[in-house]
């Protein structure tokens, strides 16, 4: 059996364990959750350590001493691990947030503000353009809370609400579709002809373990609807 | 309790089981339903196809274990598309896990290339690996590559990579291809690369993120987008490279149909229940 098949098998076992939470919170789902978090935590740590080693420690060793500052700031972050040193970790956090905010603000006026306004100033020559202009204006007007919803403004308010609800509907539909795609992604791997039979056996094993646990009351049955 | 009440209070585990069957059936017995190419996908494809031969693009690989099955097939096609056109690619990832999946997509695409296609590591493409720092990391990378990283994913020093000779910031790139998956990071590419350097951007996001990015498309800041597994399937179709995404898109259709029926039935039953004055 090659490494790819072992990978598929491991993925299948972890996925089934994780999905068993749909029946109810149970020891198998807890176990897979902890295994996944442990592996992911280790992987993230190793990758970040590699990044620091290659791009900070190596540079310092090569005589580029300005990078000592970034190493010191990184170590200061570890102050979070002990409450009495929490204040030490706040300085690198403040610096990171400040730099991030500054970089984002540098162009966000163009990217997220002016560009969007320009895109709304469309000629009223097609239905699409009309929907875009009216939808944007009425949806923005819906959030003017100081104006009383009466007279002509009441219709603007209602139209804004209808456009907002339509947008929420689209987002909801897209989110449902995204969740399906996540499940399908796992199903494709789990039902791969090379491991499908093992997957069916694992489903059977999980079912037997859970039925045994529930009937002997060793696992508490999930009571919520 | 009336039948309608019972149906409205049905155990959600029955719905999960029904959904499992609806999603698994098309995978076990592939079915093809008619599919149109969405405007956003066509726009992203046309833009990608217009990138001139010999130019260099910067490519963010942001797909993880959860999102690779839906975006991975499209990402593989995008890499294939660029390399067969003679466009050179500079990859990087802003996520640790995503870095691993980017390597996988590169290897899969290289395995699919027609014999003789130039695809030498360091010459036709390079993977800079994981870049820490999120948006600040992207800003740093595209303003000074050498100050941000010292070597590529495979450990080759930046100065020894022929493709990066004379390349140290984003002004050398012709386009940004941002396969951000569910990172929600596409605005990083727009804010840090596209707007300051005036470089057009396209890419992929998961289906749920598409509405968030559609204002950027309307504003002309984003050149279309491949949304989720359907976007990947459409890219496979447009490139005449049938792959795993087409089958998965069909499974999504089945799940969507069942979900739509359940939503309609739920609303109809709720309406009947209310007109009867039941709680």
């Amino acid at each position: 059996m090659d490494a790819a098949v072992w990978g598929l098998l491991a993925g299948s076992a972890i996925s089934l364990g994780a999905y068993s939470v749909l029946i109810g919170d149970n020891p198998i789902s807890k176990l897979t959750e902890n295994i996944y978090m442990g592996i992911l935590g280790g992987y993230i740590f190793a990758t970040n350590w590699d990044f620091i080693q290659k791009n900070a420690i190596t540079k310092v060793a090569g005589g580029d001493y300005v990078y000592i500052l970034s190493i010191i700031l990184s170590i200061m972050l570890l102050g979070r691990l002990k409450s009495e040193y929490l204040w030490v970790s706040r300085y690198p956090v403040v610096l990171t947030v400040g730099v991030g905010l500054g970089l984002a603000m540098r162009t966000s006026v163009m990217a997220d503000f002016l560009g969007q306004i320009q895109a709304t100033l469309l000629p009223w020559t097609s239905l699409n353009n009309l929907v875009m202009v009216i939808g944007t204006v009425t949806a923005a007007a819906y959030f003017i809370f100081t104006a009383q919803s009466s007279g002509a403004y009441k219709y603007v308010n209602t139209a804004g609400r209808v456009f907002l609800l339509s947008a929420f509907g689209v987002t909801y539909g897209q989110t449902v579709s995204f969740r399906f795609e996540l499940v399908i992604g796992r199903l494709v791997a789990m039902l791969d002809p090379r491991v499908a039979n093992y997957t069916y056996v694992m489903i059977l094993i999980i079912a037997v373990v859970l039925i045994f646990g529930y009937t002997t009351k060793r696992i508490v049955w999930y009571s919520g609807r | 309790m009336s039948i309608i009440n019972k149906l409205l209070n049905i155990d959600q585990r029955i719905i999960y089981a029904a959904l499992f069957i609806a999603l698994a059936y098309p995978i076990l017995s592939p079915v093809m339903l008619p599919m149109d190419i969405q405007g956003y996908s066509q726009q992203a494809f046309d833009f990608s196809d217009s990138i001139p031969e010999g130019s260099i693009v910067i490519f963010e690989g942001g797909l993880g274990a959860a999102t690779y099955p839906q975006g991975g097939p499209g990402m593989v096609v995008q890499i294939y598309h660029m390399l067969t056109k003679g466009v050179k690619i500079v990859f990087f990832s802003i996520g640790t896990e995503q870095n691993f999946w980017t390597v996988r997509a590169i290897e899969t695409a290289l395995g699919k290339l027609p014999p003789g296609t130039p695809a030498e590591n360091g010459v036709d493409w390079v993977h800079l690996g994981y870049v820490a720092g999120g948006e600040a990391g992207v800003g740093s990378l595209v303003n000074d590559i050498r100050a941000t990283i010292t070597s590529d994913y495979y450990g080759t020093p930046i100065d020894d990579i022929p493709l990066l000779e004379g390349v140290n910031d984003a002004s050398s790139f012709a386009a940004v291809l941002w396969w951000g998956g569910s990172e929600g990071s596409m605005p990083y590419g727009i804010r840090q690369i596209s707007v300051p350097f005036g470089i057009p951007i396209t890419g992929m996001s998961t289906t749920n993120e598409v509405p968030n990015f559609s204002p950027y498309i309307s504003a002309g800041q984003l050149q279309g987008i491949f949304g989720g597994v359907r976007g990947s399937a459409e890219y496979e179709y447009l490139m005449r490279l049938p792959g795993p995404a087409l089958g998965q898109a069909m499974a999504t259709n089945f799940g969507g149909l069942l979900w739509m029926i359940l939503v309609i039935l739920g609303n109809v039953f709720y309406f009947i229940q209310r007109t009867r004055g039941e709680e």
Side-chain angles (χ1 to χ4, degrees), chain B residues 78-121:
Chain B
Q78 175 102 76
I79 298 168
Y80 177 98
H81 191 182
M82 293 300 105
L83 290 176
T84 50
K85 270 176 66 69
V87 174
K88 299 175 191 307
I89 313 172
V90 175
F91 295 96
F92 75 101
S93 290
I94 59 168
T96 50
E97 184 199 346
Q98 288 80 345
N99 186 36
F100 167 83
W101 291 98
T102 302
V103 175
R104 184 166 171 166
I106 296 168
E107 287 170 355
T108 310
L110 293 179
K112 286 188 173 186
L113 288 174
T117 309
E120 194 184 334
N121 183 6

Side-chain angles (χ1 to χ4, degrees), chain B:
Chain B
M1 191 186 267
S2 69
I3 292 174
I4 286 176
N5 263 338
K6 278 182 186 166
L7 285 170
L8 280 172
N9 289 295
I10 195 168
D11 192 316
Q12 61 194 21
R13 283 167 285 210
I14 295 170
I15 296 173
Y16 294 147
L19 269 174
F20 181 84
I21 293 164
L23 295 175
Y25 176 74
I27 295 168
L28 293 168
S29 314
V31 186
M32 286 306 284
L33 296 174
M35 186 178 76
D36 287 331
I37 305 295
Q38 299 172 105
Y40 287 172
S41 301
Q42 186 68 52
Q43 194 184 344
F45 173 77
D46 291 341
F47 169 72
S48 303
D49 209 39
S50 69
I51 299 170
E53 185 187 340
S55 52
I56 308 172
V57 295
I58 187 161
F59 195 124
E60 200 272 329
L63 301 174
T67 52
Y68 188 83
Q70 47 188 290
M75 189 169 165
V76 168
V77 176
Q78 175 102 76
I79 298 168
Y80 177 98
H81 191 182
M82 293 300 105
L83 290 176
T84 50
K85 270 176 66 69
V87 174
K88 299 175 191 307
I89 313 172
V90 175
F91 295 96
F92 75 101
S93 290
I94 59 168
T96 50
E97 184 199 346
Q98 288 80 345
N99 186 36
F100 167 83
W101 291 98
T102 302
V103 175
R104 184 166 171 166
I106 296 168
E107 287 170 355
T108 310
L110 293 179
K112 286 188 173 186
L113 288 174
T117 309
E120 194 184 334
N121 183 6
V123 177
D124 300 295
W125 62 273
V126 61
H127 181 30
L128 301 179
Y130 166 63
V131 175
E135 184 166 359
V138 175
S140 173
L141 180 77
V142 298
N143 281 289
D144 192 343
I145 294 175
R146 282 163 182 79
T148 312
I149 48 164
T150 51
S151 57
D152 73 353
Y153 173 78
Y154 301 98
T156 312
I158 295 295
D159 289 328
D160 295 347
I161 298 169
L163 177 55
L164 295 179
E165 206 173 295
V167 175
N168 199 43
D169 63 29
S171 59
S172 305
F173 303 126
V176 186
L177 306 176
W178 199 279
W179 285 69
S182 61
E183 283 177 345
S185 60
M186 205 169 270
Y188 299 177
I190 296 171
R191 287 195 291 254
Q192 301 304 327
I193 317 177
S194 187
V195 171
F197 291 92
I199 303 167
I201 177 171
T202 190
M204 173 267 174
S205 75
T206 48
T207 318
N208 60 322
E209 298 275 357
V210 173
N212 299 340
F213 300 136
S214 57
Y216 291 108
I217 300 174
S218 306
Q221 294 167 322
L222 190 58
Q223 309 300 314
I225 195 168
F226 295 106
V229 76
R230 184 162 173 193
S232 288
E234 288 167 344
Y235 204 176
E236 284 180 347
Y237 180 80
L238 287 164
M239 282 293 291
R240 305 279 181 270
L241 267 177
L246 273 167
Q248 290 180 50
M250 293 304 123
T252 314
N253 286 345
F254 269 75
L257 272 173
L258 178 65
W259 194 257
M260 201 169 70
I261 292 167
L262 288 172
V263 168
I264 292 169
L265 282 179
N267 277 282
V268 169
F269 290 157
Y270 178 71
F271 180 74
I272 294 171
Q273 193 190 38
R274 228 172 51 162
T275 50
R276 282 181 183 175
E278 291 175 12
E279 282 289 313

Side-chain angles (χ1 to χ4, degrees), chain A residues 150-194:
Chain A
S150 58
Y153 181 64
K154 190 178 169 188
Y155 299 104
V156 175
N157 203 310
T158 308
R161 197 170 62 201
V162 169
F163 276 109
L164 282 170
L165 289 172
S166 306
F168 296 151
V170 171
T171 306
Y172 171 71
Q174 299 273 52
T175 304
V176 169
S177 185
F178 167 59
R179 302 291 166 198
F180 286 159
E181 289 170 17
L182 289 178
V183 179
I184 291 162
R186 291 314 313 145
L187 283 176
V188 167
M190 285 154 63
L191 300 175
D192 183 294
R194 290 173 291 175

